Structures are given as C-alpha cells and as structure tokens.
Amino acid sequence: MEGRHFEGEHPMSDTPRARLRTWMCVVCGFLYHEADGLPEEGIAPGTSWEDVPGSWTCPDCGVSKDDFEMVELD
C-alpha cells in the first residue's frame, strides 16, 4: 500500500543519508574520502562516489573510477 510503512521500514525521503564512504584506487592506493571530496579538482566535500563524474581519473596514477573499490577504515 502506497504511503504505509511498517516498523523497521523507512520511505526513501525519511532515510538518513548513508554514512560517507572511502574508495581506494587498486592500482596506486590513492584514497577518495566522500567526506573530504577533492575541492582542488572541483569535487565538494560530501560528494558521494556515485556523484563523482564518470570522466574523473585518479590524481596520482590516472586510472578511471572502475579501478576503485570501497574500503572500510577504522
């Protein structure tokens, strides 16, 4: 039923944004922290990985976003 939500379920608009993540270049180890962004490259702090342009490349080794993996940092 549209508009009804059960305990433990949340409509998309009420769901808090997922925790900001970190992505690592598997070629050179460069880390992209969503919380920090890359302001020097025009990527604002808080920019999710999905919102980083597809044409963006690793600033250290030049590979594409396809060569990055999400990593868990303590």
Side-chain angles (χ1 to χ4, degrees):
M1 291 182 211
E2 192 170 328
R4 261 187 92 175
H5 303 284
F6 298 94
E7 188 174 333
E9 292 183 355
H10 303 281
M12 286 181 65
S13 60
D14 293 345
T15 303
R17 185 175 175 99
R19 187 175 65 144
L20 296 175
R21 302 163 297 174
T22 298
W23 295 81
M24 182 181 75
C25 176
V26 298
V27 174
C28 73
F30 176 84
L31 295 174
Y32 172 74
H33 302 281
E34 291 179 339
D36 299 335
L38 287 170
E40 64 278 8
E41 296 200 16
I43 302 172
T47 300
S48 70
W49 183 246
E50 292 80 10
D51 292 333
V52 171
S55 60
W56 180 82
T57 58
C58 177
D60 286 352
C61 72
V63 298
S64 72
K65 285 178 60 176
D66 292 337
D67 292 307
F68 279 74
E69 293 181 346
M70 188 178 65
V71 293
E72 295 287 333
L73 298 177
D74 294 329

